[in-house]
Amino acid sequence: VSGKILTDDSVMTPKIQAAGGAGLGLVDDSGTLGQGIHIEDGGQVGIGTTSPTHPLTVEGDISASGTVFADRFQSKTGGATIDFNDDVDVDGNITASGNISSSGDIQLENTKGIQIRTAGGTLGDILTLDSDDDVIIGNGSFDKIKFVTDSADPAVLIDGSGNVGLV
C-alpha cells in the first residue's frame, strides 16, 4: 500500500489488524523486521525486537526528557548491580538487603546522620554533625563505644557513663 489506509468507521472502530498468529509489525523503510515496532497477539510490544518478553520490551537505549516512573528497577541480565552514570536524587529512604558501597564521598547535610538499628530494635544515630559543626559519635542510647584495631579486641572503650578505658 502506498499512501493512506482508510477505514470505514461506520462498520466498526477503526483499527489495523494482523492476520494469523505472528503479531503486527511496523517497520522502517528498510522493511526489516525488528527494526521498528512489533505488537504480539497477546499485546506485548517490542521496539527493536520481534520477541518482546514484557508488556514493553525495548532493545537498545531509552531516552526520556521527562520523569520515568517505576516501582522497581532490575538488571536485565540478572546481574547484581544497576549502574547510574549521573547524580541520583532520592526523596525518601534507600533500603538495602545487601551492602552499600561507594568509590567516592558519601555526603550528608549538616545535622543529618548515619543511623543503625540496635539488637533491641531501637534506631539511633551513630555518627552526626551538629549545627556547630561538631562530630557526634553515638546518641546516648548505646551501651559502649569501642575503637577496634586489627584484632577483635577493643583498643579504646568508652562506656555509657563516659569512662574511658585503654585496653
Side-chain angles (χ1 to χ4, degrees):
V1 174
S2 177
K4 298 179 182 178
I5 297 175
L6 302 175
T7 62
D8 182 357
D9 60 2
S10 66
V11 177
M12 63 176 64
T13 303
K15 64 181 176 180
I16 299 174
Q17 183 174 354
L24 174 66
L26 303 172
V27 298
D28 63 14
D29 59 356
S30 72
T32 306
L33 289 176
Q35 297 295 315
I37 299 172
H38 180 79
I39 303 171
E40 289 282 299
D41 286 344
Q44 296 190 149
V45 177
I47 300 176
T49 179
T50 58
S51 303
T53 56
H54 294 84
L56 175 61
T57 301
V58 178
E59 190 64 38
D61 296 339
I62 298 173
S63 176
S65 61
T67 302
V68 175
F69 294 92
D71 288 330
R72 183 174 129 179
F73 290 96
Q74 181 174 335
S75 169
K76 175 184 174 186
T77 61
T81 62
I82 296 176
D83 296 325
F84 293 94
N85 296 318
D86 205 345
D87 294 341
V88 176
D89 295 327
V90 176
D91 291 330
N93 297 320
I94 296 175
T95 302
S97 60
N99 296 326
I100 297 176
S101 62
S102 171
S103 61
D105 294 337
I106 297 175
Q107 300 176 355
L108 302 173
E109 295 297 322
N110 188 294
T111 71
K112 302 297 181 191
I114 298 173
Q115 297 181 323
I116 192 166
R117 192 171 307 279
T118 65
T122 305
L123 190 63
D125 290 333
I126 59 167
L127 183 62
T128 321
L129 183 66
D130 69 13
S131 58
D132 294 324
D133 291 337
D134 295 327
V135 175
I136 299 170
I137 299 174
N139 68 353
S141 66
F142 300 110
D143 293 334
K144 300 177 182 91
I145 297 175
K146 298 177 183 179
F147 293 90
V148 179
T149 59
D150 58 354
S151 72
D153 299 323
V156 177
L157 179 75
I158 304 172
D159 69 18
S161 301
N163 298 318
V164 177
L166 300 176
V167 182

